[in-house]
Amino acid sequence: MDGKALWSGRFAEGMDESTLWFTSSLDVDSALAFYDIMGSLAHARMLGACGIVPAEDARMMVDGLKGILALLEKEELEVDGDLEDIHTNIEVTLTRMIGPAGGRLHTGRSRNDQVATDFRMYLRDASLEAVAAVDSLIRGLIDVAREHRTTILPGFTHLQHAQPVTLAHHMLAHASRLQRDADRFMDAVARMDRCPLGAAALAGTTYPIDRMMTAAALGFAGPTENSIDTVSSRDNVAELAFCAAMTAVDLSSLCEELVLWSSQEFGFIEMDDRYTTGSSIMPQKKNPDIAELIRGRSGSVIGGLVSMLVMMKGLPLSYNRDLQEDKRPVMDALNTVTDAAGILAKVVATAAYRTDRMLEVTEEGFINATDLADHLVTKGVPFREAHGIVGEAVRHCIAAGKRLEELTLAEFNSFGGDGAVIGEEVYALLTVESCVARRDSYGGTSPASADTQIAAASERLEARDEAVARMMREIESCWQELVG
Ligand code: ARG
């Protein structure tokens, strides 16, 4: 069938070739084919059950749609470029297969509610996959933390040595961000758990449709409330674009560190050969390209969010064709984040962590200066005064080419002019091991705190993994039932 002839009644002349290719969404919405078939199966079954179409026609439509699904699964579904989108393609294929009964499929339905439904189902699956990938990375970070509860490295602020921290604490910081990213996806998925099907073009329909039935059949908690809102809103898409963008930013930040850490200057990690690349000219090179590409691709993911928001801004109610542009940016963003998190999990899990080097560099930068000030506070010196005294001590050390822990007791007590308060105990307190172990405030960097964090992070991860697996099973059983 000629696509131009589909809605031909209104037109004296067919569409120009250029109009067709310009308006076609096939290249993007072909990815929705599976969901379109499922949505159509639910709709056809409902039309039959509600007596809106003859039972025999409903049966033929269901059988035909199952046949189309089989073709899709065998990658034999032919998509006709003369038909502007996947929805039209499937409807036309059905009519070709079963004859005029196929012409009843679109009763009480519009492509406006249809595409919103298809895309929600696509996004639900894609989001759960993104969560699973992010979770694999979180699991990798927790494993590193478990292994490095007492590995000490400089903690940085302004990329300057600040205070010593454990590698566990550092990796758990990244894991904390990613936990929120994963939870944010889950929240967004829960918020869009309403089925658009049945909103029709914009105002609902005159047929006695059962929206509860189609919503349940497609695995939604219920139908959407307002038909105009349903066909015109894409905040669910924008929200997922944000979820993806935030995740990409967090991945990029982790990647930036992996790049820095694998440099000669830092030397904190060596990435596994399998996840690095060589240079075409410099034989010695081992480059952290994966991390760099993830950092680089965050740009297009952020761009996806911007595209969505700008596309939506200023649209009058209800459906406008602008909305067709909602798919590519978010599909791409979700794919990018899922791939990136999945491969980064392997990078993190297989990297060699150079603990000697990490410890060695803590000797630079007076990383224990706060601990010396804190010690003075225990001797009754107000913190602000202690800060000044230690600042003087650091200045003295720089001039003398010494580290704080190399000062004599006489030197220690020569600053601030308040008499001798510092004794031998200071040397033990200034070791980085002591600096770390004594930061046992809730959420601090002590190994004991790492244990608490690891337990909590694992619990949160497992709970989410179970929720994802349960949702995937529920969705799968909806599909089973629809094709059963
Ligand atoms: N391709 C459209 C989209 O993605 C769906 C079709 C709705 N088209 C229309 N002219 N009402 O939004």
Side-chain angles (χ1 to χ4, degrees):
M1 193 188 300
D2 181 355
K4 295 163 208 156
L6 249 200
W7 305 292
S8 59
R10 166 70 178 78
F11 301 94
E13 265 197 88
M15 206 189 262
D16 188 80
E17 214 38 58
S18 59
T19 308
L20 177 62
W21 75 250
F22 190 80
T23 57
S24 171
S25 53
L26 258 184
D27 58 330
V28 175
D29 64 23
S30 292
L32 301 180
F34 175 83
Y35 303 100
D36 200 74
I37 297 168
M38 290 301 158
S40 296
L41 274 168
H43 187 66
R45 286 183 185 282
M46 181 279 292
L47 290 176
C50 295
I52 298 168
V53 302
E56 177 56 14
D57 285 1
R59 196 192 54 73
M60 284 172 71
M61 287 194 280
V62 168
D63 287 347
L65 287 164
K66 285 198 234 171
I68 296 176
L69 179 64
L71 289 176
L72 178 72
E73 282 170 350
K74 283 186 286 184
E75 295 180 14
E76 283 171 15
L77 178 62
E78 274 176 41
V79 176
D80 182 350
D82 273 353
L83 304 175
E84 67 177 47
D85 57 31
I86 193 66
H87 324 294
T88 314
N89 258 278
I90 287 171
E91 188 187 329
V92 168
T93 305
L94 180 68
T95 304
R96 268 195 209 123
M97 282 168 84
I98 67 168
R104 296 198 192 275
L105 179 64
H106 216 52
T107 314
R109 181 179 86 166
S110 156
R111 284 181 300 157
N112 297 350
D113 59 339
Q114 192 179 349
V115 72
T117 307
D118 293 358
F119 200 28
R120 260 183 216 217
M121 293 190 282
Y122 173 99
L123 290 172
R124 182 173 61 185
D125 279 352
S127 299
L128 294 179
E129 272 174 42
V131 170
V134 171
D135 279 352
S136 71
L137 175 56
I138 295 172
R139 188 166 295 110
L141 292 166
I142 293 176
D143 287 344
V144 175
R146 234 182 235 117
E147 221 178 292
H148 293 281
R149 294 171 60 259
T150 56
T151 298
I152 296 174
L153 77 162
F156 298 87
T157 59
H158 315 272
L159 204 56
Q160 307 278 321
H161 286 197
Q163 292 169 348
V165 296
T166 66
L167 181 56
H169 199 53
H170 190 99
M171 291 317 222
L172 288 166
H174 285 296
S176 298
R177 290 175 165 186
L178 292 165
Q179 295 262 22
R180 290 193 296 278
D181 291 330
D183 283 343
R184 205 174 279 122
F185 271 114
M186 297 298 277
D187 294 347
V189 168
R191 213 174 339 277
M192 64 173 190
D193 193 15
R194 293 276 152 184
C195 185
L197 196 60
L202 79 160
T205 176
T206 54
Y207 301 100
I209 58 171
D210 185 347
R211 293 193 63 200
M212 309 294 161
M213 183 180 170
T214 42
L218 297 172
F220 289 97
T224 51
E225 293 298 329
N226 179 297
S227 60
I228 294 179
D229 170 51
T230 301
V231 298
S232 61
S233 299
R234 294 292 185 273
D235 54 287
N236 62 315
V237 186
E239 187 173 4
L240 287 173
F242 174 76
C243 293
M246 194 63 241
T247 306
V249 167
D250 288 337
L251 294 177
S252 182
S253 166
L254 171 56
C255 286
E256 167 69 8
E257 283 189 348
L258 295 177
V259 171
L260 283 174
W261 284 14
S262 53
S263 70
Q264 282 71 25
E265 281 66 27
F266 274 81
F268 286 3
I269 58 170
E270 185 177 343
M271 289 187 195
D272 191 278
D273 284 359
R274 288 168 293 171
Y275 303 109
T276 49
T277 54
S279 155
S280 62
I281 177 172
M282 296 166 283
Q284 85 284 9
K285 290 299 289 291
K286 183 169 170 183
N287 295 327
D289 290 30
I290 291 177
E292 293 168 273
L293 284 169
I294 294 173
R295 196 176 57 186
R297 285 177 194 165
S298 62
S300 70
V301 180
I302 294 165
L305 172 61
V306 176
S307 296
M308 273 306 299
L309 293 174
V310 176
M311 182 274 282
M312 289 158 65
K313 174 190 162 293
L315 289 187
L317 296 176
S318 64
Y319 181 86
N320 298 277
R321 193 65 179 269
D322 314 48
L323 293 170
Q324 178 167 296
E325 301 305 301
D326 65 347
K327 289 170 208 69
R328 199 195 305 270
V330 182
M331 286 176 166
D332 288 353
L334 288 171
N335 285 337
T336 301
V337 163
T338 301
D339 291 348
I343 196 162
L344 203 49
K346 297 184 194 175
V347 172
V348 165
T350 57
Y353 294 85
R354 302 269 176 252
T355 57
D356 290 353
R357 170 73 183 159
M358 291 179 186
L359 185 62
E360 181 190 312
V361 300
T362 60
E363 291 183 357
E364 293 156 27
F366 309 100
I367 204 162
N368 47 7
T370 313
D371 296 77
L372 179 57
D374 288 346
H375 184 50
L376 287 169
V377 169
T378 67
K379 303 282 183 182
V381 183
F383 181 78
R384 190 48 60 212
E385 207 177 302
H387 185 284
I389 293 170
V390 177
E392 248 184 77
V394 167
R395 197 142 48 86
H396 170 82
C397 282
I398 292 169
K402 281 183 165 187
R403 302 201 298 269
L404 280 172
E405 58 275 28
E406 290 172 341
L407 294 176
T408 62
L409 281 185
E411 282 175 303
F412 271 123
N413 288 303
S414 67
F415 310 109
D418 262 356
V421 290
I422 294 176
E424 282 291 337
E425 73 289 345
V426 74
Y427 296 106
L429 286 172
L430 289 183
T431 63
V432 285
E433 289 78 11
S434 160
C435 296
V436 161
R438 295 181 68 245
R439 283 204 167 66
D440 59 357
S441 53
Y442 188 87
T445 196
S446 72
S449 162
D451 292 339
T452 310
Q453 292 179 63
I454 288 167
S458 307
E459 211 175 291
R460 187 165 165 186
L461 180 68
E462 295 320 323
R464 193 170 47 244
D465 270 1
E466 266 172 44
V468 168
R470 190 177 57 245
M471 287 166 77
M472 285 178 168
R473 275 197 309 275
E474 283 167 7
I475 293 167
E476 188 50 44
S477 79
C478 284
W479 303 156
Q480 300 281 338
E481 218 161 286
L482 278 170
V483 297

